[in-house]
Amino acid sequence: LTTNINTMKLCYTSTVLLFLPAAITCFSAVPSLPMGQMSSATLGTDSSAQNVVDVGSWRIVLNIGREAFSAMPFGWGASGCRLPLVIKADFRQDGKVIPREDTVRFTGPGGQVVSPIRRGSWSTSKDRNLEFSFSFPERMERRDVVLDAGSEIVCEGIVYAKNVVNELNNRFYEAREETWKVGKELNDIARRKESAKKWDAEKNQWVKRYDDEPIWSQIGKRINLLKVQAESNKKKAERPDPRSLSLESGPFPGFDNDVFLLKEGVVKIKGKGIIG
């Protein structure tokens, strides 16, 4: 697993998956060393000073329900009901995902439902596509959204190393700044052309305040603006939208920098199809 992450792509229809590090402020009540294996890497420090971590603790929010083009039976989730699950788990260097608690909870029509959850596994492909799983030994049901006993949930998402995100952002900011610079030059030309005339005492008449910009110069600057705009749009497309990333970065096994996880991903029942 490396940190050479430059692009992102989801292979299935989207479902909300919210990944947030368990160590950030709004989850400070979560024990930082639940299994005695959490690394010493911390949030908010210089990424270059961190070592590759053995364990990354993340809070995962699943929103399970029927999605467009789902392969589930016609009546499954047809009402629009969703089954929300919040899972705090440790991603370990050995490829295992271990929930911090043995159960998950959600509110059904009859009140709170508590159901067991079992550890799963995680892996990456192309250095950025993340896949991980959990299994549920007992049947879970919320109206017409049903997970049969023994179901294995597979989640797919994207992981971005923090230093890569910073580099992509800086490239975009530089390209955008160049676009603004060239645009200002053209705006200045227009402003000078439209500025009020001044009185020339020698000629005894009103004259232009500024000389006209040569037409060849104007054409060259307009062409240059098109070029830098295209480059800016390219750099913007190469970086992830900051709004699409987890609110904070956190440690993840195999990375020597903190990582962001893409908030939107895919939830599937192994062997059946997309459910979120």
Side-chain angles (χ1 to χ4, degrees), residues 62-182:
L62 306 183
N63 185 18
I64 299 173
R66 191 170 193 87
E67 293 292 320
F69 310 111
S70 173
M72 298 301 290
F74 180 77
W76 192 94
S79 68
C81 180
R82 313 294 291 188
L83 196 165
L85 296 176
V86 178
I87 305 169
K88 298 168 186 174
D90 291 333
F91 289 75
R92 303 197 330 184
Q93 182 68 47
D94 60 6
K96 292 183 174 61
V97 185
I98 302 179
R100 291 189 168 194
E101 298 180 0
D102 295 332
T103 57
V104 291
R105 294 171 172 79
F106 63 92
T107 302
Q112 179 175 253
V113 178
V114 180
S115 185
I117 183 174
R118 298 291 181 263
R119 68 175 60 185
S121 60
W122 70 269
S123 63
T124 58
S125 61
K126 298 181 179 179
D127 298 331
R128 61 185 179 273
N129 297 328
L130 173 66
E131 180 176 292
F132 60 93
S133 63
F134 299 102
S135 61
F136 300 91
E138 295 182 5
R139 176 185 172 95
M140 289 194 297
E141 180 176 355
R142 191 169 190 257
R143 299 188 185 278
D144 53 358
V145 177
V146 180
L147 298 181
D148 294 330
S151 293
E152 182 177 358
I153 297 297
V154 179
C155 305
E156 297 176 351
I158 308 293
V159 61
Y160 270 91
K162 184 177 180 180
N163 64 327
V164 174
V165 172
N166 290 340
E167 181 179 353
L168 292 175
N169 284 338
N170 289 336
R171 290 177 184 175
F172 166 65
Y173 298 148
E174 290 174 1
R176 184 180 63 180
E177 186 68 27
E178 184 65 20
T179 300
W180 290 346
K181 178 181 177 182
V182 176

Side-chain angles (χ1 to χ4, degrees), residues 141-243:
E141 180 176 355
R142 191 169 190 257
R143 299 188 185 278
D144 53 358
V145 177
V146 180
L147 298 181
D148 294 330
S151 293
E152 182 177 358
I153 297 297
V154 179
C155 305
E156 297 176 351
I158 308 293
V159 61
Y160 270 91
K162 184 177 180 180
N163 64 327
V164 174
V165 172
N166 290 340
E167 181 179 353
L168 292 175
N169 284 338
N170 289 336
R171 290 177 184 175
F172 166 65
Y173 298 148
E174 290 174 1
R176 184 180 63 180
E177 186 68 27
E178 184 65 20
T179 300
W180 290 346
K181 178 181 177 182
V182 176
K184 182 179 182 300
E185 293 176 356
L186 288 170
N187 288 336
D188 288 343
I189 292 174
R191 179 181 57 80
R192 290 194 297 268
K193 185 177 181 179
E194 297 171 0
S195 63
K197 292 183 177 182
K198 65 179 181 178
W199 179 255
D200 188 324
E202 292 182 2
K203 295 181 179 180
N204 196 32
Q205 64 181 14
W206 293 98
V207 297
K208 291 182 179 180
R209 189 174 296 272
Y210 303 100
D211 293 333
D212 288 337
E213 183 87 7
I215 188 64
W216 57 265
S217 176
Q218 294 185 49
I219 293 174
K221 288 181 178 180
R222 291 185 182 280
I223 292 175
N224 189 34
L225 178 61
L226 293 176
K227 291 171 59 177
V228 296
Q229 283 178 334
E231 183 66 15
S232 178
N233 291 335
K234 177 183 176 183
K235 298 303 181 185
K236 182 178 180 179
E238 289 175 352
R239 71 170 189 149
D241 186 337
R243 295 170 298 181

